[in-house]
Amino acid sequence: MVAAGAGNALASRLIHRAHAAPGWFLYAPTCALVEADRIRPGTAEHIAALPSIVVLDLDLPTALAIARETTWAPAQIEYVAQPTPERPDGAVVATVAPESWKGSPVRVLDLNP
């Protein structure tokens, strides 16, 4: 989210693709949205206003899953990337810091040029 706000071309293409292509969805976990806004103020409003972004609430099952973790944003991202009935294949984490996900059970899309 921060990369998109900072003008990362690959993040922008991903957002455009989700807007233009049926069946493409981009998810913004609430905790990650808060963290992105702390790093780059205004990011939360910008991301939430995009029609192609689905903001994922911090509901009770999610809160219980991430409560035991020390950092909420990565914990929620990992939780929502797992397969669910709505997303049987799970989700892919788009990031400019793929090394931070090494050893994690998520698929990663490196947004670095």
Side-chain angles (χ1 to χ4, degrees):
M1 290 181 244
V2 173
N8 179 289
L10 295 175
S12 295
R13 286 184 199 156
L14 194 58
I15 292 168
H16 174 73
R17 175 69 146 212
H19 180 71
W24 274 68
F25 301 96
L26 292 178
Y27 302 102
T30 302
C31 292
L33 197 60
V34 170
E35 284 298 313
D37 201 71
R38 287 180 178 166
I39 295 166
R40 187 175 176 86
T43 299
E45 290 88 357
H46 177 72
I47 295 293
L50 295 170
S52 58
I53 306 289
V54 178
V55 177
L56 297 174
D57 294 330
L58 183 58
D59 59 10
L60 182 58
T62 307
L64 294 174
I66 69 173
R68 58 189 158 266
E69 302 297 330
T70 56
T71 57
W72 288 14
Q76 187 183 13
I77 293 166
E78 185 174 321
Y79 176 78
V80 302
Q82 301 305 310
T84 66
E86 297 84 25
R87 295 181 303 276
D89 294 328
V92 176
V93 176
T95 181
V96 293
E99 64 282 350
S100 65
W101 293 97
K102 284 204 187 281
S104 181
V106 298
R107 294 175 294 155
V108 173
L109 174 63
D110 186 349
L111 294 179
N112 290 298

